Amino acid sequence: MTRPITAVLLALLPLIWTPFPVVAQTSSGAAGAVDASATIAAGGAEVPVERYRTAGDAVLLWFPSEHGVRNGHREQALALQASGVEVWLADPFTGHFLPATPSSFDEMPTTTVADLIEAAHADTGRPVFAFGHDRALPWLLTGLYQWQQAHPGADHLGGLLMASPFLHTGADTEATELQPIVRLTNLPVYILQPEQSPQRQQLGRVRAGLAEGGSAVGARLLPDIRDRFFFRPDATERERLASETLHREIAFGMGLLARLPRQRMPGVAEADTDLTVSTPDGTDAQLNALEEPVAAPPLERRGLEGDTHRLEDYRGEVVLINFWASWCPPCIHEMPSMQLLEDELGDEGFRILAVNLGEDEDTIRRFIENEVRTEFTILLDPDQDSLEDWRAMAYPTSYVVDRNGRLRYYLFGAIEWTEPAVIDQIREVLEEDS
C-alpha cells in the first residue's frame, strides 16, 4: 500500500517546495462565529475548544504545543477561517487542569485526541485533519494511533500536519533515538519545518522513521525563520511576513493530504514496545548525568580570535561545551550566567568552549560586543559540522567534560548556570582526581 501513496506524494514534490508569495491579508470574509466558550467531553474532562466555523470541506483540529494557546494561534485560525478552512483550536491544558509545560503531556490522557476527532467529525460530517507542533507531537501521535486502533477501517481522519516535530527521545546514545510511536504511525503526514530550528537537523531521521511505519511524508522547509515564529514576541521582520502566509501553508498541506487514501489499518506494536508518553524536557534545574562516563567526541574549531582550539588540549581541566546561536533567545538568556560560572570556578580549572552553529564571524562578533559582552571562549562552526558527533538536539545544548576527557553531564535546553545545585554538580567533577 505504501508504494502507490509514496509515488503520489513524490509526484507532488515540486509543488511542496514552491515558495508561497507574500500577500497582504484582507478583512473580507475574515469575520465569523467563534464559539470560544465551547467545551467538549474528551479524555475524561471538559476541554475548551474555540471553533472557527465556515462551510469548508474539512476541519483542522489544532493542538497547541507546550506553550499553550496563544494569540498567534487565534490569528492563524481566523485567517484559515477566512480562506474556507474550519478550525477547532483545543486547549487540553486548561481542560485537564495542567500547566502549559512539556511534562504536562506525560499526564494528559491520550484519549483526548480520539475524543476530539470524533466530536469534530460528528458535529460537521467532514473529514478531520490534526495539527500539532514542537513537544506536543509524541502525545499527539500516540493519541492518533489509539484512535486508529479503536476505529479500524474509518476514513474520516484525513492526516496529520506537523510543525517543528520534537520526536527524538532526548537520550544520549550513539545515534539519535526516535520515539517508538514514530515507526508505528502510518497516517499521511505533512511537515512544516523552520530552517533556524534545532529540529531541522532531525528532519531526515523523522521522515525516514515515519516512512518506515508506512506514512507518506511531505515536507516544506521554511527559510530563515525560527520555531514558534507565528507567536514569538521577538519575531523578526522575516518571521512576521512568514506569519502572514502560514495559513496558506497549512491549507496547502491539507489539500495535499486530502488527495491520498485515508482508510488505513494501524501498525501493530511489538509486545515489549513502551508507548508511554515521555516528553523530553531540557528545563530542569540540574544537569543530566550520564549513567556511565564515555569519551567525549573530538572537537577542533577555530576561535573568534583566530587561534585553533582542540578539546584534547584542555585535558586536566573541566570543560563546559555549549552549542548556541545568536538568534536563540534561551541561548542569550543563559550566557551571562555562564560567564558568572566561569568567573567563579575558573581558578579551580573550569573552562567554557561555546560553539556557535551556522553563523558568520561578523554576526557573532557584533552579537558578543553589543548584546552579551561575554569573555569565555567562542568557537566557530559555520557549517555545523559538530552536530553529527555531538548530537546537539536543541538550542542550546551543553555537555560537561571531566579532566580525563569524558562526558559526565548533558543538557538539552537553557538553564541558570549559577543555580547552587548546578554549581555543586560541576564542583564535584572539579574535585575528582585526574
Side-chain angles (χ1 to χ4, degrees):
M1 177 181 290
T2 60
R3 287 183 178 275
I5 296 172
T6 303
V8 171
L9 204 53
L10 287 173
L12 296 170
L13 280 177
L15 293 176
I16 296 174
W17 290 96
T18 301
F20 284 99
V22 176
V23 296
Q25 295 184 30
T26 63
S27 59
S28 61
V34 179
D35 187 359
S37 61
T39 58
I40 295 174
E46 294 297 318
V47 175
V49 178
E50 298 178 16
R51 296 180 293 189
Y52 296 75
R53 302 283 197 180
T54 190
D57 296 326
V59 177
L60 181 69
L61 180 56
W62 193 329
F63 295 91
S65 70
E66 66 273 17
H67 300 279
V69 176
R70 301 294 188 93
N71 285 335
H73 293 88
R74 298 183 175 100
E75 291 167 2
Q76 295 301 321
L78 284 169
L80 284 162
Q81 180 190 48
S83 64
V85 176
E86 180 162 330
V87 179
W88 286 34
L89 179 58
D91 185 1
F93 296 103
T94 298
H96 292 291
F97 297 97
L98 292 169
T101 62
S103 60
S104 290
F105 288 115
D106 301 348
E107 303 179 45
M108 200 178 292
T110 50
T111 52
T112 303
V113 177
D115 291 343
L116 289 175
I117 291 170
E118 290 306 291
H121 177 62
D123 183 84
T124 65
R126 305 176 206 156
V128 178
F129 293 81
F131 183 31
H133 44 105
D134 297 280
R135 285 175 167 86
L137 265 305
W139 173 80
L140 179 53
L141 282 178
T142 304
L144 294 172
Y145 177 72
Q146 292 173 344
W147 177 88
Q148 285 186 288
Q149 289 181 312
H151 301 84
D155 65 354
H156 54 276
L157 179 59
L160 171 64
L161 294 94
M162 303 180 180
S164 295
F166 199 109
L167 286 170
H168 54 77
T169 63
D172 186 72
T173 56
E174 286 298 322
T176 301
E177 290 185 355
L178 296 177
Q179 299 268 356
I181 191 62
V182 174
R183 292 182 173 87
L184 288 173
T185 299
N186 63 8
L187 296 168
V189 174
Y190 185 69
I191 302 173
L192 293 170
Q193 180 59 64
E195 183 182 37
Q196 291 186 347
S197 160
Q199 303 316 310
R200 166 67 180 91
Q201 61 180 294
Q202 306 296 339
L203 180 59
R205 294 183 177 94
V206 169
R207 293 182 69 176
L210 290 166
E212 184 178 327
S215 290
V217 186
R220 169 141 164 77
L221 197 62
L222 306 179
D224 301 324
I225 60 173
R226 300 169 290 174
D227 291 332
R228 307 181 303 281
F229 64 93
F230 60 95
F231 63 83
R232 298 186 74 103
D234 62 341
T236 64
E237 181 62 24
R238 181 74 181 231
E239 289 166 344
R240 286 190 287 271
L241 290 173
S243 296
E244 293 181 6
T245 54
L246 176 59
H247 69 287
R248 294 181 179 272
E249 304 274 9
I250 295 170
F252 177 83
M254 291 177 65
L256 183 69
L257 296 178
R259 305 179 198 186
L260 303 175
R262 294 198 300 265
Q263 188 172 6
R264 285 170 171 245
M265 297 298 294
V268 178
E270 296 182 2
D272 60 348
T273 301
D274 184 4
L275 292 181
T276 303
V277 177
S278 179
T279 307
D281 183 0
T283 60
D284 296 334
Q286 283 190 300
L287 306 176
N288 303 306
L290 275 74
E291 292 184 7
E292 294 290 338
V294 297
L299 180 65
E300 180 177 339
R301 307 301 311 171
R302 186 170 66 86
L304 195 58
E305 303 308 319
D307 47 345
T308 298
H309 294 257
R310 300 174 183 84
L311 180 57
E312 61 187 37
D313 294 339
Y314 288 82
R315 196 65 55 88
E317 296 180 296
V318 174
V319 183
L320 169 62
I321 308 293
N322 175 265
F323 295 94
W324 68 283
S326 68
W327 48 260
C328 162
C331 302
I332 300 169
H333 177 78
E334 73 171 0
M335 290 180 88
S337 68
M338 289 169 58
Q339 183 62 62
L340 292 173
L341 181 67
E342 188 176 72
D343 292 343
E344 180 170 347
L345 301 179
D347 291 342
E348 301 175 39
F350 175 75
R351 296 289 180 268
I352 294 176
L353 300 178
V355 184
N356 179 276
L357 296 171
E359 297 183 284
D360 63 79
E361 186 172 340
D362 289 342
T363 297
I364 300 168
R365 194 176 297 280
R366 286 195 302 271
F367 171 76
I368 297 297
E369 292 174 354
N370 299 328
E371 300 291 336
V372 293
R373 299 181 181 276
T374 53
E375 298 177 359
F376 50 75
T377 302
I378 303 294
L379 304 185
L380 310 177
D381 189 358
D383 297 323
Q384 305 184 73
D385 294 328
S386 306
L387 290 179
E388 190 63 33
D389 285 337
W390 286 87
R391 298 191 297 282
M393 297 181 182
Y395 282 38
T397 287
S398 299
Y399 296 93
V400 175
V401 181
D402 67 17
R403 298 183 190 272
N404 295 310
R406 301 175 301 175
L407 296 178
R408 301 296 296 275
Y409 291 102
Y410 66 94
L411 183 70
F412 303 129
I415 200 169
E416 286 293 336
W417 291 94
T418 52
E419 287 285 340
V422 175
I423 294 176
D424 288 346
Q425 286 179 302
I426 296 176
R427 184 161 270 137
E428 285 179 6
V429 180
L430 283 165
E431 292 173 353
E432 296 173 355
D433 294 331
S434 60

